[in-house]
Amino acid sequence: MKTPIIIPVDQLIQEPYASVLCFPNPNENEVQCRIQELRNHSVTALEFSGTASVFGVPVPVLGKGFVGIVVIAHLNMERVAVKIRRTDADRADLLHEASMLSKANSIDVAPKLIGASKNFLLMQLIDGYLLPNWLKTNREKTLVKLVLRQVLEQCFRLDQAGLDHGELSKAPKHLLVDKTEKVFIVDFETSSVERRVANVTAVCQYLFGGNSSAAKILDEIFGRKNRLELIDVLGAYKKNKTRENFEGLVKFCLS
Ligand SMILES: Nc1ncnc2c1ncn2[C@@H]1O[C@H](COP(=O)(O)OP(=O)(O)O)[C@@H](O)[C@H]1O
Ligand SMILES: [Mg+2]
């Protein structure tokens, strides 16, 4: 990883930082407003480091999606993650995401919410890897089981709480494994407490039913699951989301 670049808030007006703060359409007014918004969160500096990048901007970031760009923020000595709302996001603010994240936190899921406003969501910084990348270098079955058990268990808790994440069937960017092998589900932007929950089934499809790079590695570790049997155990759980049916599913997937 390249050397991190730490920029105090009052220097974020400069390029290329302004372009990250206001991606993809920086304008001076909006940059100034956002700098003030960061100050309101007591952010003293932003840190540009990580393995992701933003098109046309020559500084590294932690991650990016269609709604946000995630970088590190400094609150004096504390380092946290901040999701910056893209200027072209089809969301007016990040407050819905904050409320969903807070609900997830109440059942001990996801990075802890620290603060939120129109354009910023501050949360616990996860120092780790996206699951597909983690799996490239961690193939020991017992360890992989331990990590996947956490993924499934957290999805079960979300199901029980009536909170549907919404983006777990295509989850390559939404499951993080930190350096102590703890799992964090991220991005509650499309989450809902109104939809029917499908966290466990969606993540199982992604991990064991599909053609993703993670699924391919898991096939090598656990052997290819019989599709019909998978549909059966998923169906039983979907019909009746009990602990017993959940354990049946876990046993099938992780043996
Ligand atoms: N708390 C966090 N700590 C570290 N990295 C994070 C954190 N939250 C998100 N990321 C990284 O940033 C990426 C984009 O965040 P995400 O919330 O998915 O944005 P979007 O809603 O635009 O898809 C994630 O895929 C992940 O790699
Ligand atoms: Mg995302």
Side-chain angles (χ1 to χ4, degrees):
M1 199 185 286
K2 293 176 203 144
T3 326
I5 306 163
I6 299 167
I7 307 295
V9 272
D10 56 4
Q11 287 171 34
L12 292 169
I13 190 80
Q14 294 165 17
E15 289 295 349
Y17 318 111
S19 282
V20 178
L21 213 54
C22 262
F23 183 82
N25 304 307
N27 82 60
E28 204 178 317
N29 247 348
E30 182 66 15
V31 175
Q32 291 285 13
C33 287
R34 287 185 176 214
I35 289 175
Q36 188 50 49
E37 204 177 317
L38 280 176
R39 285 203 183 97
N40 297 343
H41 286 290
S42 305
V43 171
T44 50
L46 291 186
E47 179 178 327
F48 298 90
S49 63
T51 52
S53 59
V54 183
F55 182 74
V57 183
V59 280
V61 297
L62 284 180
K64 82 152 207 271
F66 290 111
V67 169
I69 312 283
V70 179
V71 299
I72 297 170
H74 290 211
L75 309 174
N76 290 315
M77 298 312 282
E78 196 189 353
R79 284 161 86 241
V80 305
V82 61
K83 180 165 174 173
I84 306 169
R85 192 178 70 89
R86 289 174 55 154
T87 56
D88 61 352
D90 65 350
R91 297 281 156 155
D93 60 57
L94 295 178
L95 299 175
H96 167 78
E97 176 166 358
S99 122
M100 296 295 110
L101 180 57
S102 157
K103 190 162 167 70
N105 287 169
S106 72
I107 49 165
D108 216 11
V109 171
K112 291 276 172 278
L113 173 68
I114 294 168
S117 54
K118 184 171 189 263
N119 298 303
F120 299 103
L121 187 148
L122 281 76
M123 63 190 139
Q124 177 188 0
L125 170 64
I126 309 305
D127 183 16
Y129 309 92
L130 292 168
L131 181 72
N133 292 339
W134 183 84
L135 280 170
K136 281 182 196 157
T137 49
N138 293 279
R139 298 201 174 200
E140 204 271 308
K141 196 169 177 177
T142 318
L143 183 61
V144 175
K145 256 180 159 171
L146 202 85
V147 161
L148 294 187
R149 171 93 212 182
Q150 290 178 65
V151 173
L152 297 174
E153 190 70 43
Q154 291 182 22
C155 287
F156 181 60
R157 287 213 294 278
L158 289 171
D159 277 1
Q160 296 277 301
L163 174 56
D164 188 47
H165 179 280
E167 290 194 60
L168 290 176
S169 59
K170 37 178 176 28
K173 290 177 144 193
H174 296 147
L175 300 170
L176 294 175
V177 185
D178 81 1
K179 306 249 162 101
T180 64
E181 267 85 45
K182 195 169 171 346
V183 168
F184 292 86
I185 299 173
V186 296
D187 195 359
F188 285 76
E189 197 272 316
T190 44
S191 303
S192 168
V193 284
E194 261 117 56
R195 270 197 311 265
R196 188 178 353 175
V197 289
N199 299 293
V200 170
T201 46
V203 91
C204 283
Q205 294 282 7
Y206 164 67
L207 294 171
F208 303 104
N211 246 328
S212 63
S213 71
K216 284 179 186 146
I217 296 174
L218 293 176
D219 280 354
E220 286 167 23
I221 299 173
F222 293 98
R224 180 80 177 156
K225 299 291 164 203
N226 179 304
R227 282 202 75 86
L228 293 177
E229 277 182 68
L230 177 64
I231 289 168
D232 251 19
V233 281
L234 282 176
Y237 174 78
K238 201 169 161 185
K239 216 154 135 203
N240 203 350
K241 298 185 179 66
T242 58
R243 170 57 77 173
E244 198 185 350
N245 284 343
F246 172 71
E247 291 299 341
L249 182 55
V250 173
K251 199 167 165 209
F252 175 76
C253 291
L254 300 186
S255 58

